[in-house]
Amino acid sequence: SPKEVLLLEFFLNNLRFAVESKLSVEKTSALFSILRNNHQEMVRGHFTLEQSIAYFKQLLLLHAVQRPPYSVGIFTFKDVTLITDYVNETYYANFKLFQYCFTESHELVLTSRSNLAEIPPTSFTPLADAIPAWVPEAAPEEAPPSDADRREAAAEESPAPELDLPDVPPQLREVIANKIQVEVRKLEAQMEAAHEEREARLHEKLALLESSAAKRPSSKGK
């Protein structure tokens, strides 16, 4: 993979620098481990440039001062200066590139869902600020409602049917019941219209029969 190729090139360049600087086997091994651990901690901890440089200096000093068991003096002051210049000119000069190639990006995905439950308001307007009620004028008397109007009014005033759905939330159950009630009203209206249409056809047929029956005696008298 491209990451493995880049990491292999990074390790190979470090070994080439140790050979060109004529470091001993012990110093080459210590340098290789320091640069490898520094890179791995940058990837694992998502270090910034400042944090990575501070960690690298800490590792290098642990191998440049003879103070057992806390540190061991493998590198001399000249070696420390040479290694620091090399790392600054190579690894830290391309630090953003290493971050982009080896650090995993985290994406935050937010999903919004609509809630059918109505949340009541936190506060209500005081009654003192309410608008005065408007008193309408006396409306003229209306004609008594017909049978169709009474049935429609009764259907509108009838409560929504209760559904036996234990797994459905009460809010969603009420929405389903209202939807069913609306569909039932539409069906009742269609049946009422079809009934009225049939009655009208029957009245027309009766009228035709009565008119034809009234004409027959007059034709016989002539």
Side-chain angles (χ1 to χ4, degrees), residues 12-189:
L12 183 62
N13 290 334
N14 295 337
L15 294 176
R16 184 182 292 112
F17 165 76
V19 173
E20 292 176 355
S21 301
K22 299 180 180 180
L23 299 179
S24 63
V25 175
E26 185 182 13
K27 292 181 180 181
T28 302
S29 176
L31 175 63
F32 185 87
S33 299
I34 289 172
L35 297 180
R36 184 192 61 183
N37 291 340
N38 181 51
H39 176 73
Q40 290 177 347
E41 286 298 319
M42 183 275 294
V43 175
R44 184 189 62 82
H46 298 273
F47 283 177
T48 61
L49 178 62
E50 292 76 12
Q51 292 173 335
S52 180
I53 292 176
Y55 184 74
F56 166 72
K57 290 181 178 179
Q58 181 182 359
L59 292 178
L60 191 59
L61 288 176
L62 289 176
H63 296 79
V65 178
Q66 185 65 24
R67 196 178 59 172
Y70 304 103
S71 61
V72 57
I74 297 177
F75 298 112
T76 62
F77 178 77
K78 181 180 179 181
D79 295 334
V80 171
T81 303
L82 189 65
I83 293 171
T84 303
D85 292 340
Y86 164 74
V87 174
N88 288 334
E89 293 174 359
T90 56
Y91 185 77
Y92 289 119
N94 302 284
F95 186 75
K96 293 293 183 181
L97 177 62
F98 281 98
Q99 269 189 328
Y100 178 79
C101 293
F102 292 97
T103 304
E104 296 181 358
S105 59
H106 299 274
E107 296 182 0
L108 178 62
V109 179
L110 297 178
T111 304
S112 60
R113 298 181 179 178
S114 59
N115 189 4
L116 297 177
E118 295 184 0
I119 302 176
T122 56
S123 61
F124 296 90
T125 306
L127 294 177
D129 298 338
I131 301 174
W134 173 71
V135 181
E137 298 180 357
E141 295 183 358
E142 297 180 355
S146 61
D147 295 338
D149 295 337
R150 291 194 187 96
R151 285 192 294 270
E152 185 177 355
E156 292 179 355
E157 294 176 359
S158 60
E162 296 184 359
L163 301 177
D164 187 12
L165 300 174
D167 297 334
V168 180
Q171 297 87 353
L172 185 58
R173 197 182 308 165
E174 183 179 355
V175 172
I176 295 174
N178 292 334
K179 183 66 176 177
I180 293 175
Q181 188 177 11
V182 171
E183 296 297 329
V184 169
R185 290 176 184 172
K186 291 181 180 180
L187 184 59
E188 289 178 351

